[in-house]
Amino acid sequence: MLTISVVIPIKPGLVPQAAGRIAALGWPSGQYELLVAEGTSPSCQRNQAVQQAAGEIIYFLDDDAMVVPDALQRLARHFADPQVVVVGGPSLTPSTDTLLQRAIAAALASPLGAGGVRNRYRAVGTVRRTTERELILCNLAIRREAFLANNGLDERLYPNEENELLDRLYKAGGILLHDPGLAVERSQRTSLAAFVRQMFRYGRGRSEQTRIAGLNGLMPFVPLFFLVYLLAVPFLQSPLLRLPLAGYLLAIGLCTLRAAVKERAASYLLLLPLLFPILHISNGLGLLAGFLLPLKPQTCYNRPPVTIRHLTP
């Protein structure tokens, strides 16, 4: 029988909500264990929790992630293939979230918003082989043996620590799967300021990942190119050079209209034209900062100790 260790990092002093949520799912207690890692460095917390885990499969979740009831059964089916080293699914936004949160979710799930990584935020298609572009750490299962053999998460990275590890596992020949049915529900940021910080961190993390692991395609850097273009627009003399900006505004209009009709939310007509530029500019600034600022040191040596708690299922 496959054994699964659920690993959840939390900040110091927080009361973990995950234990009660997972217990309510009625999973057989003999098939999984729950480890809560308390600390201030998520990469370090996860690494240390995996060291203490007993399961063959490590299932990384966030404390606020609401898991589907059949998650264990889905993981058991997928990992029956010994070549499969990673299985993940999307992070969806609850219908109970505020209007702003649901608009943020619509922006992230749009081809103009999160682009090639939008499947992290929407359930579409069937189970398929994938890359790090469709996987997200708040809902990600990895074989413990493969995790340890590849030295786990690089503790200089947060965020994007999972993307760098997934790239290594993929290049080593392991199969990565995306299962749209293996979804979690997790709320989006509750304010525009929090959304800006999130997108900035994502951009910075991508640049830092590139500095550590090398370039893996130019698509993630489109927001940086867009930022440079926006800064240059006031100095462009030829009207033709302003056509890309007109095309961008047209794309915003079309994607906004599509999302508003799909979700039957007229308020998106006001929110999304604001959220798309915020997303791209914040991410572009983060990409720039990630290239210019020094890399973080190995965090475990400069942070308070991590506390691992085994919670009874």
Side-chain angles (χ1 to χ4, degrees):
M1 181 175 61
L2 193 70
T3 56
I4 296 174
S5 295
V6 179
V7 171
I8 298 175
I10 62 170
K11 294 179 180 179
L14 292 184
V15 177
Q17 304 297 316
R21 290 173 175 156
I22 291 176
L25 296 174
W27 289 349
S29 59
Q31 293 183 17
Y32 77 101
E33 63 173 352
L34 178 60
L35 291 82
V36 172
E38 183 176 308
T40 58
S41 173
S43 302
C44 182
Q45 290 162 247
R46 292 184 172 102
N47 279 344
Q48 293 198 20
V50 173
Q51 293 287 343
Q52 297 189 27
E56 303 164 66
I57 305 301
I58 306 298
Y59 190 17
F60 292 117
L61 294 171
D62 282 0
D63 189 51
D64 58 349
M66 303 291 289
V67 191
V68 291
D70 65 341
L72 289 189
Q73 291 89 339
R74 286 178 175 273
L75 292 177
R77 287 199 301 270
H78 297 319
F79 282 110
D81 181 349
Q83 291 185 297
V84 171
V85 295
V86 173
V87 179
S91 174
L92 307 179
T93 302
S95 59
T96 52
D97 267 12
T98 66
L99 178 60
L100 174 62
Q101 289 172 304
R102 286 183 277 117
I104 288 173
L108 290 172
S110 165
L112 180 63
V117 302
R118 67 189 183 278
N119 287 345
R120 295 174 182 172
Y121 309 104
R122 61 178 193 156
V124 61
T126 58
V127 177
R128 56 192 176 271
R129 292 192 182 194
T130 191
T131 67
E132 56 94 7
R133 303 284 283 164
E134 288 190 298
L135 299 171
I136 189 167
L137 188 51
C138 68
N139 183 25
L140 189 70
I142 304 179
R143 286 193 190 275
R144 182 174 183 269
E145 181 181 17
F147 184 94
L148 295 176
N150 284 271
N151 300 315
L153 300 167
D154 190 318
E155 293 169 5
R156 293 171 293 176
L157 287 172
Y158 176 74
N160 279 72
E161 67 272 34
E162 83 275 23
N163 306 105
E164 191 273 336
L165 172 60
L166 292 171
D167 263 345
R168 282 187 274 135
L169 293 170
Y170 180 79
K171 289 173 182 176
I175 293 176
L176 285 57
L177 293 182
H178 178 90
D179 180 355
L182 184 72
V184 299
E185 285 197 345
R186 188 166 178 261
S187 292
Q188 298 294 339
R189 299 304 191 268
T190 57
S191 68
L192 284 178
F195 180 56
V196 167
R197 289 193 295 270
Q198 178 191 20
M199 293 300 106
F200 180 88
R201 285 199 303 269
Y202 283 177
R204 188 199 67 210
R206 176 61 65 174
S207 290
E208 291 175 343
Q209 175 191 345
T210 300
R211 290 171 65 184
I212 289 172
L215 185 65
N216 188 20
L218 291 177
M219 281 302 294
F221 299 97
V222 169
L224 178 56
F225 304 145
F226 175 66
L227 177 64
V228 172
Y229 171 75
L230 282 183
L231 293 174
V233 163
F235 306 101
L236 299 177
Q237 299 300 318
S238 171
L240 289 176
L241 295 177
R242 300 191 180 189
L243 284 178
L245 180 58
Y248 177 70
L249 296 176
L250 177 61
I252 285 179
L254 292 175
C255 288
T256 294
L257 183 61
R258 178 187 178 190
V261 171
K262 180 181 178 182
E263 301 298 329
R264 298 181 181 179
S267 53
Y268 284 9
L269 297 174
L270 297 176
L271 286 172
L272 288 180
L274 176 66
L275 289 174
F276 282 127
I278 286 176
L279 188 163
H280 297 140
I281 293 171
S282 301
N283 192 259
L285 288 169
L287 287 162
L288 182 62
F291 280 125
L292 297 179
L293 298 179
L295 289 173
K296 295 183 285 294
Q298 293 282 10
T299 53
C300 275
Y301 299 105
N302 299 284
R303 302 279 182 157
V306 173
T307 301
I308 310 295
R309 284 178 278 169
H310 291 70
L311 301 186
T312 304

